[in-house]
Amino acid sequence: MNLYSEHYVTQKTERFINKIWCLDNSIGESLIENKLVLPNGCFNLAIVTGKAIEVHTSKNKYEMNEGVYFCSQMTNKVLVNIESKTKVTIIQLHTWTLSMFPKYDLNNFTDSIIKINPEELPFNLQIGSDIERLLQTINAYFEELSDLHSEKNTIEKICEIIKNQEEISVSDISKNLKLSQRLLQIKFKTATGLTIKKYIQILKFRKAVDQMVNADLEKLKLTDVALYNKYFDQSHFIKKFKDVMKTTPKTFDPDSYFLSLKR
């Protein structure tokens, strides 16, 4: 049994969905504990089947029994304990996806999880569906959504600009989109719960950690990682690392984390 697996959506669907990932302890006889997840700038819909999982964010501890949960943007690492006979299927939504549904105001919603009624979702989500059926449902809905929203909205445009130039300032984004900085900040915070600056910091940090995991650190020094990812120096990177990870790069253990297989 693979505890962690990833499943990718169609090309049209991936405009809104990054991937679907699973934490599968469904045939396990014992608790899997103290696994960690890093912030990555995405929202998540989590479908829990079986017993339960326990999630510790920087704000609270959540007991998640069978059901569907909406997970906000995370700004710090998250600790996960998975009960035996439990599976969690997670739909990872891009930063701008919820901005397609203006009724959601996420201005003060970060590092938090809420249980939701599946009937409130705009697509038919069946708890216990196998991954193939879930992929079919997700693909059909978001392909249609992509057709209906062929023009990118402000949030998607902001994220696209940041992706292409991570060190860009809010002022530069404002000039690029010909919108006021204040309006951009309000729109982005309402749609994501994050400031634009915080979102950029999360992306930069995650990129640096992924580089650490994938590189041969005997050859690539921590200073190189820091400078490559536009931190002022090694000390600046270590400080930011400790803010999110509550540990130092030297004691970082990648095996304790669920890290993407798509490298």
Side-chain angles (χ1 to χ4, degrees):
M1 179 190 71
N2 291 324
L3 174 61
Y4 179 79
S5 62
E6 297 181 353
H7 310 269
Y8 290 91
V9 293
T10 65
Q11 189 172 3
K12 281 182 70 176
T13 304
E14 68 181 7
R15 179 182 169 198
F16 301 110
I17 304 290
N18 185 39
K19 64 185 176 186
I20 296 176
W21 51 294
C22 297
L23 306 177
D24 192 351
N25 194 27
S26 57
I27 62 173
E29 298 290 340
S30 59
L31 172 72
I32 293 174
E33 56 185 335
N34 299 327
K35 298 296 287 185
L36 298 161
V37 179
L38 291 176
N40 57 13
C42 291
F43 295 103
N44 290 286
L45 276 176
I47 308 161
V48 180
T49 55
K51 291 184 179 179
I53 66 168
E54 182 181 271
V55 176
H56 298 247
T57 74
S58 60
K59 289 184 177 178
N60 211 339
K61 179 178 80 172
Y62 298 90
E63 297 283 349
M64 299 163 62
N65 53 16
E66 191 162 272
V68 180
Y69 298 81
F70 176 64
C71 308
S72 73
Q73 293 281 352
M74 300 295 168
T75 62
N76 287 277
K77 70 178 182 182
V78 173
L79 184 144
V80 179
N81 298 321
I82 310 169
E83 291 281 357
S84 62
K85 310 298 184 185
T86 301
K87 181 178 180 180
V88 191
T89 304
I90 300 160
I91 304 168
Q92 192 174 87
L93 307 171
H94 284 301
T95 315
W96 57 87
T97 300
L98 289 189
S99 65
M100 298 294 160
F101 311 96
K103 66 178 181 177
Y104 297 118
D105 184 346
L106 304 175
N107 190 60
N108 296 307
F109 190 60
T110 57
D111 299 297
S112 301
I113 300 170
I114 56 171
K115 191 170 187 177
I116 59 177
N117 183 346
E119 294 179 0
E120 295 176 356
L121 292 169
F123 48 87
N124 185 23
L125 186 59
Q126 296 291 328
I127 297 175
S129 294
D130 60 43
I131 192 67
E132 287 306 318
R133 183 174 297 180
L134 179 59
L135 279 168
Q136 288 174 9
T137 300
I138 292 296
N139 286 336
Y141 177 76
F142 282 98
E143 283 179 0
E144 183 178 352
L145 186 68
S146 184
D147 290 337
L148 291 171
H149 296 274
S150 57
E151 295 295 320
K152 297 174 182 177
N153 68 15
T154 303
I155 307 304
E156 189 172 1
K157 289 177 181 176
I158 292 171
C159 293
E160 185 176 56
I161 291 169
I162 292 169
K163 180 181 178 180
N164 293 329
Q165 191 177 343
E166 288 179 10
E167 288 302 300
I168 197 167
S169 67
V170 178
S171 174
D172 289 335
I173 296 171
S174 171
K175 292 173 184 175
N176 189 303
L177 296 178
K178 297 181 173 57
L179 292 170
S180 74
Q181 291 186 52
R182 176 174 169 75
L183 180 60
L184 286 182
Q185 293 283 25
I186 291 172
K187 280 179 173 288
F188 198 85
K189 189 78 159 53
T190 298
T192 68
L194 301 172
T195 64
I196 295 175
K197 182 178 179 181
K198 185 64 177 178
Y199 175 65
I200 292 172
Q201 289 173 347
I202 289 171
L203 293 188
K204 182 164 78 167
F205 176 76
R206 186 56 191 266
K207 183 178 176 182
V209 172
D210 286 344
Q211 187 179 35
M212 285 177 59
V213 171
N214 293 310
D216 181 354
L217 288 183
E218 294 297 320
K219 297 178 181 177
L220 186 66
K221 297 178 181 178
L222 200 59
T223 301
D224 298 328
V225 174
L227 295 178
Y228 180 83
N229 291 286
K230 308 295 193 257
Y231 289 94
F232 298 135
D233 51 30
Q234 180 176 308
S235 297
H236 181 220
F237 175 58
I238 291 173
K239 180 181 183 302
K240 294 299 181 182
F241 193 96
K242 290 173 70 175
D243 286 345
V244 176
M245 310 288 270
K246 313 308 176 193
T247 187
T248 64
K250 188 175 181 179
T251 58
F252 170 62
D253 177 15
D255 291 336
S256 297
Y257 290 78
F258 292 122
L259 296 168
S260 177
L261 301 173
K262 188 177 183 181
R263 304 283 169 79

